[in-house]
Amino acid sequence: MSELHWKTAITKIEPNKIFLRGYPLHELMGRITFSQAIYLALKGELPSEKVGKLIDAILVSSIDHGATPPSVLTARTVVSTGADLNSAVSAGILAISKYHGGAIEEAMGVFEDALKRMGEKGLSEEEVVSEIIKEKKEKGERISGFGHRIHTKDPRTQKLFSLAKELGFSGKYVSIAKAFEKGLEKVLGKTLPINVDGAIAALLCELGIPKELGNSFFIMARVPGLIAHIYEEKTRMKPMRKIHPTDHEYDGPEERKL
Amino acid sequence: MSELHWKTAITKIEPNKIFLRGYPLHELMGRITFSQAIYLALKGELPSEKVGKLIDAILVSSIDHGATPPSVLTARTVVSTGADLNSAVSAGILAISKYHGGAIEEAMGVFEDALKRMGEKGLSEEEVVSEIIKEKKEKGERISGFGHRIHTKDPRTQKLFSLAKELGFSGKYVSIAKAFEKGLEKVLGKTLPINVDGAIAALLCELGIPKELGNSFFIMARVPGLIAHIYEEKTRMKPMRKIHPTDHEYDGPEERKL
Amino acid sequence: MSELHWKTAITKIEPNKIFLRGYPLHELMGRITFSQAIYLALKGELPSEKVGKLIDAILVSSIDHGATPPSVLTARTVVSTGADLNSAVSAGILAISKYHGGAIEEAMGVFEDALKRMGEKGLSEEEVVSEIIKEKKEKGERISGFGHRIHTKDPRTQKLFSLAKELGFSGKYVSIAKAFEKGLEKVLGKTLPINVDGAIAALLCELGIPKELGNSFFIMARVPGLIAHIYEEKTRMKPMRKIHPTDHEYDGPEERKL
Amino acid sequence: MSELHWKTAITKIEPNKIFLRGYPLHELMGRITFSQAIYLALKGELPSEKVGKLIDAILVSSIDHGATPPSVLTARTVVSTGADLNSAVSAGILAISKYHGGAIEEAMGVFEDALKRMGEKGLSEEEVVSEIIKEKKEKGERISGFGHRIHTKDPRTQKLFSLAKELGFSGKYVSIAKAFEKGLEKVLGKTLPINVDGAIAALLCELGIPKELGNSFFIMARVPGLIAHIYEEKTRMKPMRKIHPTDHEYDGPEERKL
């Protein structure tokens, strides 16, 4: 044991035995979903099936958003130079930063702050929300998680909230998020609907995920999407093509029902 | 429409509408698992629940393997310098290369080659396997997916195969993988059991996943594990510590049952 | 010309003609050093030979610092998995962050702040330095660019300052940096000598480099060092070895004179 | 000393002493250029001033090539999301792969192969070159380092060759490169002039640089160019803009003379 000896509480490895947060990994296999295992890995406790279902919905909601996001353009550009798949994924993730995916962590911070102020100051949701919006406005800052370039009524937000309600996770944070939506309309005089990042932020708060892990849910969700784009680029396109950031069209299967 | 106009078959985006491979994303949410959505994103078709369950098991099997793998050490080293979470994930993925995670794609190639030779030459599984092992041996090459530094009887392999059987995916490729295990013992005179990479390779072949996507399953599975390590490093350790690659001990929850 | 049309002031490309900041690139070749070209690319103006010499010294000073820095360990760990050279360089650069290389930008900010306060408040160097040190101390913050884990009298710092003097770049910022060294000793009661990052910070301020580019000089300097380590790892070591972060010894050429 | 003890021959660190390949680093500072230090770090021996000058020219030749290369588009896209400078540089380098920068290593391999065949088979340059071109043509492969999308008579190539001659490095490899240019014209019936990658490849062969380090010269050269683009993107453009890959125009200083 050297002076560099250190400790970790994630996974225990012994010959022919692997324990994730104390659970034998092979016993988890076949009994919990990947989404439940993600929660277990990050939070240290096995989630209920309902939590697993909510995480499934969160991750499915953000798996891909077409070819326009900078992470996709980055990943496609890199693989187009002949790079390996892992390099292209890696580059794509480097583009998931402040302005792309970063809204989740920021919104979680705002929602947590609102709840804290409600408790500390004995103010109503409406009062706190109004206070925060004004403070932000004075500083010239936006509130992350509201408004979308394309979607005025994001179907993902609505589904996330209806699922959360159904599964029993529509608590204080969802309420606060909705209060912000109302408050923003009042103060700004225009509708800035909760976007998918804002909805995910509220739900991750409900699940007790620390906000420092907020963006990681976007990263985990988007990795398969990036891989789909990388594979399509590699198998369908010529290397070193010039990749137009917006002038592309969808030619996959027609709209279909489950 | 510029001369750079291009096409993509993954996701269609319209105001308030998002279609993944033709399916409205919000209808998928709450109805399919993340693992099913991964398959849909990559293969273009909605998988059955059974396929989803097998992918869940594959991803759960590889979510983490302790603090020793190079991807973990890389991610921890990077975050320890004060870097953002996405940078650390990205660096970790760069370490998932030929010798770490790369076995899946290589094994898929060997299993596909074996099946092809059986068909073309009219040889038995045993004959083809023996032929390939000899060829590899002459070239001084190893067959990927067999043998493990630590595990002589990997519990993940066994669970993957038993689940595959139960779910109805134990077909030709699983049989070929097992034939290689026997063949290697015969030729080399020592046991090189199918490791988790080899088992995953066989199952991805059964699911019709192209081998070029083999390692991507390892990447998708391991990203949450990397994030758990990055978060632990950030919240529990001092910045810029010297990270010993092996001298660490597990101090998480004791062994527990589901 | 699309609505996405944009402008750049760095390099003009025409058939058989390349102009860097207006200068024909082939005329620069053979007439200016790489260091001068770096200044031209970043600042937009051709530097004098003296500026070029100072940049040469800055870049040479930081080309490598042995096998212990996290960027080196990261790059070696990644290439050890069989990754390509560019992936390993890339991962190494991700480790050049806040606590590793980040001191240059931070120190530049402090030095600029000090000069600004001297002008605005009509205070002496000593007074401003003392003020800033006290403020930082109260906030529990360190002043970047002073003190070193190993070197109490860093030979690189002394050489950089003597060269700067010789070449005529020992101005206000160098003076401020030295005032901080004295001030820190007075306030803290212990010597925290200007380290190489602090010296580089002072000199980049003298050269009018914006502080946002401070760390980029460390990155540019260190890339060749990382490449030397990657190449050594690839040609001398076994793949997937466990890389001890400190227990290594130098076995290259004995000390020699120029 | 643990069982993980290892050795490195690059840099020796002692308190207040740093030796690069045996030379005290502070004695190198102010006496050699960055380019000479790069050679020393990579090759282990101090180069002559002439070698330094040739490396300077090589690195200056590739410092930037406008906003179109994938490495630039990648770096700009990443920084545009609010990422740190080091992340954007890192992503840019991931795009320096097979089809972008990769030609140097490939061409070095071809030139080395040609020289080897001349020695082994006692054939003339012309014969060997013709043999290799035919072999490549039969396999449907291109010879890297010849032809350019934009430049039919690349001014960088000509300058590199004239400098090499002047400095005394125009040897067998330059001759072989020129023989390939002639040979390609003969066999293909069209001119494929040596491009800058091909010229750099020939010169790095002359300098005894191993071909596995070929692309690293492109990476080292291009890092400052990437940084210039990242800084321009950050200071001049709006975050998250859609970056057109070709529709941009130069608006920097007019053509000017040294």
Side-chain angles (χ1 to χ4, degrees):
Chain A
M1 199 168 98
S2 82
E3 50 168 9
L4 295 178
H5 186 75
W6 58 286
K7 294 179 180 181
T8 173
I10 301 167
T11 300
K12 184 178 182 181
I13 305 291
E14 290 176 2
N16 303 326
K17 284 179 187 169
I18 301 159
F19 303 93
L20 178 64
R21 302 287 190 182
Y23 294 100
L25 192 60
H26 69 279
E27 289 185 17
L28 296 171
M29 293 163 61
R31 288 183 56 187
I32 66 171
T33 61
F34 185 42
S35 292
Q36 285 175 293
I38 287 173
Y39 183 98
L40 174 60
L42 296 182
K43 285 275 291 178
E45 293 303 326
L46 204 56
S48 67
E49 266 187 43
K50 285 184 176 180
V51 170
K53 269 180 192 301
L54 194 62
I55 294 174
D56 267 324
I58 288 170
L59 295 173
V60 171
S61 79
S62 296
I63 194 166
D64 195 49
H65 197 263
T68 322
S71 53
V72 169
L73 294 167
T74 300
R76 282 185 176 265
T77 303
V78 168
V79 82
S80 175
T81 67
D84 286 341
L85 182 136
N86 71 329
S87 294
V89 174
S90 184
I93 289 174
L94 290 173
I96 299 180
S97 187
K98 195 172 178 218
Y99 302 115
H100 174 33
I104 297 174
E105 183 174 330
E106 287 173 17
M108 288 174 81
V110 171
F111 299 160
E112 286 176 2
D113 181 28
L115 188 63
K116 206 176 143 208
R117 293 193 195 190
M118 283 166 65
E120 285 173 4
K121 303 187 178 178
L123 295 176
S124 75
E125 204 175 75
E126 204 187 329
E127 288 164 334
V128 162
V129 158
S130 165
E131 184 180 288
I132 292 175
I133 293 174
K134 276 170 198 158
E135 283 172 21
K136 289 270 183 184
K137 212 187 156 191
E138 274 160 30
K139 288 192 224 161
E141 290 173 12
R142 295 179 58 248
I143 294 188
S144 293
F146 296 86
H148 196 282
R149 228 168 5 94
I150 300 171
H151 309 302
T152 52
K153 203 170 172 176
D154 194 318
R156 298 169 296 179
T157 300
Q158 299 175 44
K159 187 70 179 193
L160 283 173
F161 282 156
S162 70
L163 273 169
K165 198 172 171 189
E166 201 181 296
L167 294 163
F169 298 106
S170 195
K172 290 173 190 171
Y173 291 104
V174 170
S175 177
I176 286 170
K178 288 180 176 172
F180 269 104
E181 193 179 49
K182 272 186 210 150
L184 283 163
E185 187 153 15
K186 219 162 148 185
V187 177
L188 307 178
K190 63 171 177 174
T191 313
L192 275 182
I194 307 175
N195 60 33
V196 68
D197 293 335
I200 290 173
L203 299 188
L204 293 178
C205 285
E206 298 287 356
L207 294 177
I209 301 290
K211 69 172 187 292
E212 292 75 14
L213 284 173
N215 298 347
S216 79
F217 278 80
F218 187 82
I219 292 172
M220 290 185 286
R222 194 52 61 92
V223 164
L226 291 177
I227 292 169
H229 284 280
I230 292 164
Y231 186 69
E232 189 183 63
E233 184 70 32
K234 213 166 190 166
T235 51
R236 191 176 176 184
M237 309 295 182
K238 280 191 196 157
M240 292 294 280
R241 74 176 175 108
K242 301 297 170 192
I243 302 177
H244 196 290
T246 53
D247 190 11
H248 42 71
E249 119 192 54
Y250 174 77
D251 70 345
E254 286 302 299
E255 184 172 346
R256 45 186 173 169
K257 294 197 176 298
L258 275 89
Chain B
M1 197 168 98
S2 82
E3 52 168 9
L4 295 178
H5 186 76
W6 58 286
K7 294 180 181 181
T8 172
I10 301 168
T11 301
K12 183 178 184 181
I13 306 290
E14 290 176 2
N16 304 324
K17 284 180 188 169
I18 301 159
F19 302 93
L20 178 64
R21 302 290 190 181
Y23 295 101
L25 192 60
H26 69 279
E27 289 185 16
L28 296 170
M29 292 163 62
R31 289 183 56 188
I32 65 170
T33 61
F34 185 41
S35 292
Q36 285 176 292
I38 288 172
Y39 182 97
L40 174 61
L42 297 181
K43 285 276 291 178
E45 292 303 325
L46 203 56
S48 68
E49 268 188 41
K50 286 185 177 179
V51 169
K53 271 181 192 297
L54 194 62
I55 293 174
D56 267 324
I58 288 170
L59 295 173
V60 171
S61 79
S62 297
I63 194 166
D64 194 52
H65 197 262
T68 322
S71 54
V72 170
L73 294 167
T74 299
R76 282 183 175 265
T77 303
V78 168
V79 82
S80 175
T81 67
D84 286 341
L85 184 137
N86 72 328
S87 295
V89 174
S90 184
I93 290 174
L94 290 173
I96 299 180
S97 186
K98 194 171 179 218
Y99 302 116
H100 174 36
I104 297 174
E105 183 174 329
E106 286 173 17
M108 287 174 81
V110 171
F111 299 160
E112 285 176 2
D113 180 30
L115 187 63
K116 205 177 143 207
R117 292 195 196 189
M118 284 165 66
E120 286 174 4
K121 301 188 179 178
L123 294 177
S124 74
E125 202 175 75
E126 203 188 329
E127 289 164 334
V128 162
V129 159
S130 162
E131 182 181 287
I132 292 176
I133 293 174
K134 276 171 197 157
E135 284 173 20
K136 289 272 183 182
K137 212 186 155 190
E138 275 162 28
K139 288 192 224 161
E141 290 173 12
R142 295 179 58 248
I143 293 188
S144 292
F146 296 86
H148 197 282
R149 225 166 10 90
I150 299 170
H151 308 303
T152 52
K153 202 169 174 173
D154 195 318
R156 298 170 295 180
T157 300
Q158 298 176 43
K159 187 71 180 193
L160 283 174
F161 282 156
S162 70
L163 274 168
K165 198 172 172 188
E166 202 180 296
L167 294 164
F169 298 107
S170 195
K172 289 175 189 169
Y173 290 104
V174 171
S175 176
I176 286 171
K178 289 180 176 173
F180 268 103
E181 193 179 50
K182 272 188 210 147
L184 283 164
E185 186 155 15
K186 217 163 150 185
V187 176
L188 307 177
K190 63 172 178 174
T191 314
L192 274 182
I194 308 176
N195 59 34
V196 68
D197 293 335
I200 290 173
L203 298 189
L204 293 178
C205 286
E206 298 287 356
L207 293 177
I209 302 290
K211 69 172 188 291
E212 292 75 14
L213 284 173
N215 298 347
S216 79
F217 278 81
F218 187 82
I219 293 172
M220 291 185 284
R222 195 51 63 91
V223 163
L226 291 176
I227 291 169
H229 284 280
I230 291 164
Y231 186 69
E232 189 183 63
E233 184 70 31
K234 213 163 190 167
T235 52
R236 192 177 176 184
M237 310 294 183
K238 282 191 194 153
M240 291 293 280
R241 74 176 175 106
K242 301 296 170 193
I243 302 176
H244 196 291
T246 53
D247 190 11
H248 42 72
E249 116 192 54
Y250 174 76
D251 70 346
E254 287 301 299
E255 183 172 347
R256 44 185 172 169
K257 293 199 177 297
L258 274 89
Chain C
M1 198 169 99
S2 81
E3 49 167 12
L4 295 178
H5 185 76
W6 57 285
K7 295 180 180 182
T8 172
I10 301 167
T11 301
K12 185 178 184 181
I13 306 291
E14 289 176 1
N16 303 326
K17 284 178 188 171
I18 301 158
F19 302 93
L20 178 64
R21 302 287 190 183
Y23 295 100
L25 192 60
H26 70 278
E27 288 185 18
L28 296 170
M29 292 164 60
R31 289 185 52 190
I32 65 171
T33 61
F34 185 41
S35 292
Q36 285 175 292
I38 287 172
Y39 183 98
L40 174 61
L42 297 181
K43 285 275 290 176
E45 292 304 324
L46 204 56
S48 67
E49 267 188 42
K50 285 185 176 178
V51 170
K53 270 182 191 299
L54 194 61
I55 294 174
D56 267 323
I58 288 170
L59 295 173
V60 171
S61 79
S62 297
I63 195 168
D64 195 50
H65 196 263
T68 322
S71 54
V72 170
L73 294 168
T74 299
R76 281 184 177 265
T77 303
V78 167
V79 81
S80 175
T81 67
D84 286 341
L85 183 135
N86 71 329
S87 294
V89 173
S90 183
I93 290 174
L94 290 173
I96 298 180
S97 187
K98 195 170 179 219
Y99 303 115
H100 174 34
I104 297 173
E105 183 174 329
E106 286 173 17
M108 289 174 81
V110 171
F111 299 160
E112 286 176 2
D113 181 31
L115 187 63
K116 205 177 144 207
R117 292 194 196 190
M118 284 166 65
E120 285 174 2
K121 302 189 179 176
L123 295 176
S124 75
E125 201 175 75
E126 204 187 329
E127 289 164 332
V128 162
V129 157
S130 164
E131 183 180 288
I132 292 176
I133 294 174
K134 276 170 197 158
E135 284 172 20
K136 289 270 184 183
K137 213 188 155 191
E138 274 161 28
K139 289 192 223 161
E141 291 174 12
R142 296 178 59 249
I143 293 189
S144 293
F146 296 86
H148 197 281
R149 226 164 11 89
I150 299 170
H151 308 302
T152 52
K153 205 171 172 175
D154 195 318
R156 296 168 297 179
T157 299
Q158 299 175 44
K159 187 69 180 194
L160 283 173
F161 282 155
S162 70
L163 273 168
K165 199 172 172 187
E166 202 180 294
L167 294 163
F169 298 106
S170 195
K172 290 173 189 170
Y173 290 104
V174 170
S175 177
I176 286 171
K178 288 178 176 173
F180 268 104
E181 193 179 49
K182 272 187 209 148
L184 283 165
E185 187 153 16
K186 219 164 151 185
V187 176
L188 306 178
K190 62 172 179 175
T191 314
L192 276 183
I194 308 175
N195 60 33
V196 68
D197 293 334
I200 290 173
L203 299 188
L204 293 179
C205 284
E206 298 287 356
L207 294 177
I209 301 289
K211 70 172 188 292
E212 291 76 13
L213 284 173
N215 298 347
S216 79
F217 278 81
F218 187 82
I219 293 172
M220 290 185 286
R222 194 52 62 92
V223 163
L226 291 177
I227 292 168
H229 284 281
I230 291 163
Y231 186 69
E232 188 183 63
E233 184 69 32
K234 212 164 190 168
T235 52
R236 191 177 177 186
M237 310 296 182
K238 280 190 196 157
M240 292 294 279
R241 74 176 175 109
K242 300 295 168 193
I243 302 177
H244 196 291
T246 53
D247 191 12
H248 42 71
E249 118 192 55
Y250 175 76
D251 70 345
E254 286 303 298
E255 184 172 345
R256 45 185 173 170
K257 292 197 178 300
L258 272 90
Chain D
M1 199 169 98
S2 81
E3 51 167 8
L4 295 179
H5 186 76
W6 57 286
K7 294 180 181 180
T8 172
I10 300 167
T11 301
K12 184 179 183 180
I13 306 291
E14 290 176 1
N16 303 324
K17 285 179 186 168
I18 301 158
F19 302 94
L20 178 64
R21 303 287 189 184
Y23 294 100
L25 191 61
H26 69 280
E27 288 185 16
L28 295 171
M29 292 163 61
R31 289 181 57 187
I32 66 170
T33 60
F34 185 43
S35 292
Q36 285 176 292
I38 287 172
Y39 182 98
L40 174 60
L42 296 181
K43 285 276 292 177
E45 293 303 326
L46 204 55
S48 68
E49 267 187 44
K50 285 186 176 178
V51 169
K53 271 182 193 297
L54 194 61
I55 293 175
D56 266 324
I58 289 171
L59 295 173
V60 171
S61 78
S62 297
I63 195 166
D64 195 51
H65 196 263
T68 322
S71 53
V72 169
L73 294 167
T74 299
R76 282 183 175 265
T77 303
V78 168
V79 82
S80 174
T81 67
D84 287 341
L85 183 136
N86 71 328
S87 294
V89 174
S90 184
I93 290 174
L94 289 174
I96 299 179
S97 187
K98 196 172 180 219
Y99 302 116
H100 173 34
I104 297 174
E105 182 174 331
E106 287 174 15
M108 289 174 80
V110 170
F111 299 160
E112 286 176 1
D113 180 31
L115 188 63
K116 206 177 143 208
R117 292 194 195 189
M118 283 165 66
E120 285 174 4
K121 302 189 178 176
L123 295 177
S124 75
E125 204 173 73
E126 203 187 329
E127 289 164 333
V128 162
V129 158
S130 163
E131 183 179 288
I132 291 176
I133 293 174
K134 276 171 197 157
E135 283 172 20
K136 289 270 183 184
K137 212 187 155 192
E138 275 162 29
K139 288 192 225 162
E141 291 172 11
R142 296 178 58 249
I143 293 188
S144 292
F146 295 85
H148 197 282
R149 222 166 11 92
I150 300 171
H151 308 302
T152 50
K153 203 170 174 175
D154 195 318
R156 299 169 296 179
T157 300
Q158 299 175 43
K159 187 70 179 193
L160 282 173
F161 282 155
S162 70
L163 273 169
K165 198 172 174 188
E166 203 180 295
L167 293 163
F169 298 106
S170 195
K172 290 174 190 170
Y173 290 104
V174 171
S175 176
I176 287 171
K178 289 180 176 173
F180 268 102
E181 193 178 49
K182 271 188 211 148
L184 283 164
E185 188 154 14
K186 216 162 150 185
V187 177
L188 307 178
K190 62 172 178 175
T191 313
L192 275 182
I194 308 177
N195 60 33
V196 68
D197 294 333
I200 291 173
L203 298 188
L204 292 178
C205 286
E206 298 287 356
L207 294 177
I209 301 289
K211 71 172 186 293
E212 290 77 13
L213 284 172
N215 297 349
S216 80
F217 278 80
F218 187 82
I219 292 172
M220 290 185 286
R222 194 52 62 94
V223 164
L226 291 177
I227 292 168
H229 284 280
I230 291 164
Y231 186 69
E232 189 182 61
E233 184 70 30
K234 213 165 189 165
T235 52
R236 192 178 177 184
M237 310 295 183
K238 282 193 196 154
M240 292 293 281
R241 75 177 175 107
K242 301 296 169 194
I243 303 176
H244 196 290
T246 52
D247 189 11
H248 41 71
E249 115 192 57
Y250 174 77
D251 70 346
E254 286 302 297
E255 183 171 350
R256 45 186 175 170
K257 293 200 176 298
L258 274 90

